[in-house]
Amino acid sequence: MSIDLDSLKVFVRVAELRSFTDAARQLGIPKARASARVLRLEAELGTQLLQRSTRVVRLTPEGELLLKRAPGFLAEADEIETLFHAGRVLRGRVRMELPVVVALRFVIPRLPELLARHPQLQVDICASDRIVAALREGFDLVLRIGAVAEPGLVGRRIGESTMMNCASPSYLRQYGTPRTLDELRSHLVVHYAADPVPNFEYLEGDVYRELPMRSVVTVDNFEAYEEACIAGLGIAQVPRHGLERHDNTLVEILPEFVARPAPIVLLHTHGRSVPRRVRVVMNWLMGVLAPIVGELVPR
């Protein structure tokens, strides 16, 4: 018995997403071809792997068993192929999701060097500060700054970004400079939409706590977050490098009450079966971002 690797790859993606439609879209093939590939695999193995209905796809017990073993098998196959084709042209598409500032300031300006090295590689960049469902939306790579709650992602830690509290001179003239947590209660913060409610995070002893705050403005990307703070609309918690970047437009306050450092992690969605093109781009991104980790935004 032989197993077609392409069919196995389709099965894994369908099983992970529980959808032929989503899997076909991510793989760039028609839905009918994805279905035919899985049917071919089932015929080769002589067993049903998926239970199909008009609304949902479920794994059979045999499908569950195969899904546990398939990623490792595919990774082995890819490694073996790489041994004998290490010099082959890298081609295909890699989709990545990056925070807006990271994409615009650091990655896109360096992208020509990657594409000059691999001219048949295609790179899709989604520059967004919303937290996407990386696996379901078909991204190969995502950069997360802060806690990662999404299952199915495998990552490499780049570093962390230390934080500071700041406000604009105009805000401090209007509201005064808070020097204690009690004084802070009468102040405003800029509300970042990813946070459920406006709050001020601080370290108390060995524990990080959140102080509920008032806000008059909510924003959904980091550049707007900084600009709202500069405009005097509230206190913000930003990377420490931000004070240097904004020179005299921001003033540090409450240095003894800093938020927790934000971990910076580059993640992929391929489990143990990482395509060579994704590994190459991931390594390139690590090389670009690791030296300037302190400049990456923490949102």
Side-chain angles (χ1 to χ4, degrees):
M1 178 185 68
S2 63
I3 296 178
D4 179 69
L5 293 181
D6 289 335
S7 296
L8 187 59
K9 290 176 183 178
V10 173
F11 162 75
V12 169
R13 190 46 57 97
V14 172
E16 289 175 338
L17 297 176
R18 299 296 197 270
S19 168
F20 278 95
T21 302
D22 292 342
R25 184 179 67 248
Q26 290 190 18
L27 294 168
I29 62 176
K31 179 182 176 182
R33 186 183 302 174
S35 180
R37 287 283 191 182
V38 174
L39 286 171
R40 175 179 174 178
L41 181 63
E42 289 177 325
E44 289 174 342
L45 296 175
T47 188
Q48 184 179 1
L49 301 171
L50 299 171
Q51 293 177 337
R52 304 153 175 86
S53 72
T54 55
R55 305 183 68 178
V56 69
V57 174
R58 291 188 177 90
L59 286 163
T60 65
E62 293 78 10
E64 292 277 5
L65 181 62
L66 181 59
L67 183 59
K68 290 178 183 178
R69 301 287 298 274
F73 180 74
L74 289 170
E76 285 278 336
D78 190 60
E79 288 297 328
I80 291 171
E81 184 180 5
T82 299
L83 287 175
F84 297 99
H85 299 89
R88 76 185 191 276
V89 174
L90 193 69
R91 56 171 53 108
R93 185 182 304 272
V94 176
R95 299 190 69 227
M96 66 180 79
E97 186 268 334
L98 304 169
V100 174
V101 174
V102 175
L104 298 184
R105 294 181 183 172
F106 306 117
V107 175
I108 292 177
R110 296 280 301 276
L111 200 55
E113 67 186 51
L114 175 68
L115 297 179
R117 199 178 308 154
H118 305 288
Q120 296 193 42
L121 186 68
Q122 293 176 282
V123 177
D124 291 357
I125 296 178
C126 173
S128 171
D129 287 327
R130 68 188 180 94
I131 303 300
V132 301
L135 186 61
R136 180 156 295 279
E137 296 193 28
F139 288 103
D140 297 295
L141 297 169
V142 294
L143 184 71
R144 290 283 185 265
I145 304 179
V148 178
E150 184 180 353
L153 302 184
V154 180
R156 294 169 62 183
R157 186 182 177 94
I158 300 176
E160 64 181 23
S161 178
T162 58
M163 305 289 285
M164 71 171 189
N165 309 308
C166 62
S168 69
S170 63
Y171 175 91
L172 297 176
R173 283 194 297 270
Q174 182 174 355
Y175 294 96
T177 302
R179 304 192 185 281
T180 66
L181 290 176
D182 282 339
E183 291 180 6
L184 188 63
R185 297 177 191 277
S186 63
H187 283 262
L188 301 171
V189 293
V190 179
H191 180 209
Y192 202 89
D195 298 326
V197 296
N199 66 74
F200 179 91
E201 185 179 75
Y202 64 97
L203 179 63
E204 183 178 71
D206 296 327
V207 179
Y208 284 97
R209 303 189 184 280
E210 293 181 353
L211 178 68
M213 298 282 290
R214 292 188 304 121
S215 178
V216 296
V217 62
T218 299
V219 297
D220 68 353
N221 73 70
F222 187 74
E223 289 188 315
Y225 183 72
E226 284 190 329
E227 288 303 319
C229 183
I230 293 169
L233 294 170
I235 294 167
Q237 297 185 294
V238 300
R240 175 155 297 281
H241 81 280
L243 188 61
E244 300 172 359
R245 192 169 74 252
H246 292 298
D247 196 17
N248 296 321
T249 60
L250 292 177
V251 177
E252 183 176 9
I253 61 173
L254 297 169
E256 67 275 31
F257 296 109
V258 294
R260 75 187 71 213
I264 304 174
V265 187
L266 185 61
L267 305 119
H268 67 77
T269 59
H270 294 272
R272 290 182 296 168
S273 178
V274 188
R276 178 170 171 258
R277 68 183 186 282
V278 175
R279 289 203 308 270
V280 168
V281 175
M282 190 172 191
N283 290 336
W284 176 79
L285 278 173
M286 289 291 295
V288 169
L289 299 179
I292 46 89
V293 64
E295 299 179 54
L296 305 182
V297 297
R299 291 283 178 175

